[in-house]
């Protein structure tokens, strides 16, 4: 339901919304029942899935909703994605889609294709497609892709796997033990959409998966970590051009708040780029917190 809080108008939308275009005209949707089963904690529990026994249905996938007319249609099917450059580990695997996000100009969007192989391992590919579902492009196919954000209309930052790329890291490197423990072949990569161009971001500095977003001016990367051995999650600002990392906070994650009900920091920017907002349970309750980072992101302060 879309509720206009100013005039009271109510619009009922036929499908649950995953993400909305920046112009507010189009929404994308998924089968949230399938998502609840394949990735607990991300979908809607207790709703029947007509394609529960179909590993890659032809009639289910990514839906586009016209928020003006209320009409919707299936744009990309799971069957279509599963048949695209199939791999041996896809045999008899269950497939699903997740994490939809429009790029800044709304003309293309990202989605993740995931499948659970018969050996119990989960694999992920990163795709982009046009707003109408056409021109699908596989950006990454190296087993793992996690959190991501559009830097601009052509580039995507993602925590992903790139086998063999860490040959530069030697045992004497100051971050070697942390890398050995946390990341192995996984790190932040900046991909250029519809090309083979990709390179590591924050090499030797950003060494663990996190919920990354670019500041409104594109200069800073905001990200976080999962709980370490002491149960602490770190909130990080990284200036890409100057290769400077600033840890702006560490927040305790109570051990009983874990698994499907965990509370990740999920940091995000204010529109003016002077504040960040996080979710946290470090005070014993689920709360939202706002941190003022004006002094950090101010260029003159950074240079001094």
């Amino acid at each position: 339901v879309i509720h206009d809080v100013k005039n009271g108008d109510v619009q009922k939308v036929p499908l649950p919304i995953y993400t909305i275009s920046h112009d507010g005209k189009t929404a994308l949707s998924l089968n949230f029942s399938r998502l609840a089963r394949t990735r607990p904690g991300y979908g809607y529990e207790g709703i029947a899935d007509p394609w529960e026994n179909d590993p890659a249905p032809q009639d289910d996938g990514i839906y586009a909703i016209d928020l003006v007319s209320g009409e919707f249609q299936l744009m990309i099917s799971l069957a279509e994605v599963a048949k695209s450059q199939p791999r041996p580990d896809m045999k008899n695997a269950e497939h699903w889609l997740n994490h939809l996000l429009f790029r800044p100009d709304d003309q293309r969007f990202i989605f993740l294709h995931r499948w659970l192989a018969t050996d119990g391992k989960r694999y992920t590919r990163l795709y982009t497609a046009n707003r109408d579902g056409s021109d699908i492009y596989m950006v990454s196919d190296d087993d793992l892709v996690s959190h991501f954000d559009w830097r601009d209309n052509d580039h995507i930052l993602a925590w992903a796997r790139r086998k063999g790329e860490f040959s530069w890291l030697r045992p004497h490197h100051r971050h070697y033990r942390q890398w050995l423990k946390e990341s192995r072949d996984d790190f932040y990569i900046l991909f250029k959409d519809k090309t083979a161009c990709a390179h590591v971001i924050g090499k030797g500095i950003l060494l663990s998966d996190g919920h990354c977003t670019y500041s409104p001016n594109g200069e800073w990367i905001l990200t976080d970590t999962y709980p370490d051995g002491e149960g602490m999650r770190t909130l990080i600002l990284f200036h890409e051009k100057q290769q400077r990392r600033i840890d702006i906070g560490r927040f305790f994650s109570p051990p009983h708040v874990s698994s499907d009900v965990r509370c990740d920091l999920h940091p995000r920017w204010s529109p003016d780029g002077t504040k960040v907002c996080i979710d946290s349970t470090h005070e014993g309750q689920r709360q939202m917190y706002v941190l003022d980072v004006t002094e950090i992101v101010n260029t003159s302060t950074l240079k001094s």
Side-chain angles (χ1 to χ4, degrees):
V1 174
I2 300 174
H3 191 164
D4 190 320
V5 296
K6 293 183 178 180
N7 60 27
D9 290 347
V10 173
Q11 177 188 359
K12 292 186 178 181
V13 183
L15 295 175
I17 291 175
Y18 197 105
T19 190
I20 298 177
S21 59
H22 299 83
D23 61 18
K25 296 179 180 179
T26 304
L28 301 179
S29 181
L30 293 170
N31 181 339
F32 280 74
S33 301
R34 190 180 194 89
L35 202 53
R37 185 182 69 257
T38 55
R39 193 70 171 94
Y42 285 75
Y44 295 155
E45 299 284 353
I47 303 173
D49 178 8
W51 301 280
E52 181 174 356
N53 298 318
D54 190 335
Q58 182 69 46
D59 299 322
D60 188 27
I62 299 176
Y63 302 84
I65 310 169
D66 186 324
L67 294 178
V68 178
S69 66
E71 298 178 350
F72 69 92
Q73 63 177 347
L74 178 67
M75 288 196 305
I76 300 172
S77 74
L78 270 164
E80 176 185 4
V81 177
K83 292 177 182 177
S84 172
Q85 303 180 45
R87 299 172 16 163
D89 47 51
M90 289 183 181
K91 185 177 180 179
N92 299 320
E94 183 173 23
H95 300 256
W96 70 96
L97 305 175
N98 202 356
H99 296 311
L100 315 177
L101 184 66
F102 281 102
R103 76 182 191 184
D105 70 356
D106 293 329
Q107 296 307 303
R108 288 180 71 78
F109 65 90
I110 288 176
F111 66 92
L112 296 184
H113 167 216
R114 287 178 165 163
W115 65 96
L116 182 65
T118 54
D119 62 2
K121 293 182 179 179
R122 189 178 69 199
Y123 300 93
T124 307
R125 285 173 165 174
L126 173 65
Y127 284 87
T128 59
N130 284 341
R131 181 170 176 152
D132 62 1
S134 64
D135 194 17
I136 299 174
Y137 182 82
M138 185 191 300
V139 178
S140 179
D141 180 24
D142 228 341
D143 295 349
L144 179 143
V145 181
S146 185
H147 305 99
F148 55 76
D149 188 31
W150 289 95
R151 189 185 73 174
D152 50 46
N153 290 328
D154 297 314
H155 296 88
I156 303 156
L157 178 70
W159 182 262
R161 184 157 296 163
R162 202 75 164 179
K163 297 175 183 176
E165 288 286 346
F166 267 120
S167 58
W168 55 271
L169 199 59
R170 298 290 183 259
H172 63 269
H173 192 280
R174 68 185 186 277
H175 293 300
Y176 179 78
R177 289 187 177 181
Q178 182 181 354
W179 162 77
L180 193 65
K181 178 180 178 181
E182 295 181 359
S183 56
R184 300 281 178 162
D185 292 321
D186 310 336
F187 45 96
Y188 280 115
I189 302 174
L190 188 67
F191 297 95
K192 186 173 183 181
D193 191 18
K194 301 178 68 175
T195 75
C197 297
H199 66 272
V200 177
I201 296 294
K203 182 179 287 189
I205 303 173
L206 300 176
L207 297 171
S208 61
D209 188 11
H211 306 86
C212 58
T213 57
Y214 276 94
S215 60
N217 64 8
E219 292 185 5
W220 293 87
I221 296 171
L222 173 67
T223 188
D224 61 347
T225 68
Y226 288 102
D228 59 17
E230 299 177 343
M232 303 298 290
R233 297 159 299 167
T234 303
L235 186 62
I236 301 166
L237 278 173
F238 177 68
H239 195 279
E240 186 175 347
K241 185 176 181 179
Q242 299 190 7
Q243 292 292 291
R244 181 175 178 179
R245 167 175 165 166
I246 301 174
D247 294 353
I248 57 177
R250 282 168 53 81
F251 303 88
F252 180 65
S253 178
H256 67 278
V257 185
S258 60
S259 188
D260 301 347
V261 297
R262 70 184 182 277
C263 185
D264 300 332
L265 294 181
H266 285 144
R268 54 269 185 197
W269 292 92
S270 62
D272 64 0
T274 64
K275 298 179 179 66
V276 299
C277 181
I278 62 170
D279 307 321
S280 189
T281 51
H282 64 272
E283 292 186 314
Q285 298 176 328
R286 286 178 176 267
Q287 297 287 354
M288 295 172 66
Y289 298 85
V290 176
L291 295 81
D292 193 321
V293 295
T294 304
E295 293 187 6
I296 299 174
V297 301
N298 183 279
T299 304
S300 60
T301 303
L302 182 65
K303 289 182 178 179
S304 65

